[in-house]
Amino acid sequence: MALAHAIGGDRLAAQGGPADPATRSSSSPSPSPVQEARAKAVCATCQVLTECRSYALKAGEADGIWGGLTPEERRRSRVPEGVRRPAAS
């Protein structure tokens, strides 16, 4: 069961249905800056932000806003600054 923010509310909802804009799948286009800002605004008021962020980092969630972080922000938080990953062969 995926965790997804309820847009328009400030609570985390456990949903098994289609992904909402805050948890967009990789087959969907990237969210616009406005969509990203709206999703982060929901996260900012969420009572489970820390738990959501922790889950996303541990599970390696690759898409969507989780715990107020974009996929790029989550990648940066997992890899210490200055450390480079080996190039793919």
Side-chain angles (χ1 to χ4, degrees), residues 5 9-10 22 37-50 52-53 65-69:
H5 276 268
D10 61 350
R38 286 180 57 205
K40 285 185 167 198
V42 170
C43 292
T45 63
C46 184
Q47 295 177 355
V48 295
L49 180 133
T50 303
C52 181
R53 182 176 293 175
I65 305 294
W66 288 80
L69 299 176

Side-chain angles (χ1 to χ4, degrees), residues 3 23 48-71 74-75 77-78:
L3 298 176
T23 56
V48 295
L49 180 133
T50 303
E51 293 88 345
C52 181
R53 182 176 293 175
S54 178
Y55 165 79
L57 291 169
K58 289 177 186 173
E61 287 293 340
D63 299 304
I65 305 294
W66 288 80
L69 299 176
T70 65
R74 288 192 302 277
R75 279 190 290 278
S77 71
R78 286 192 295 264

Side-chain angles (χ1 to χ4, degrees), residues 21-45:
T23 56
R24 195 173 292 283
S25 73
S26 59
S27 62
S28 299
S30 296
S32 72
V34 171
Q35 289 172 315
E36 184 177 302
R38 286 180 57 205
K40 285 185 167 198
V42 170
C43 292
T45 63

Side-chain angles (χ1 to χ4, degrees), residues 6-24:
I7 297 298
D10 61 350
R11 65 181 181 276
L12 192 68
Q15 299 178 349
D20 68 24
T23 56
R24 195 173 292 283

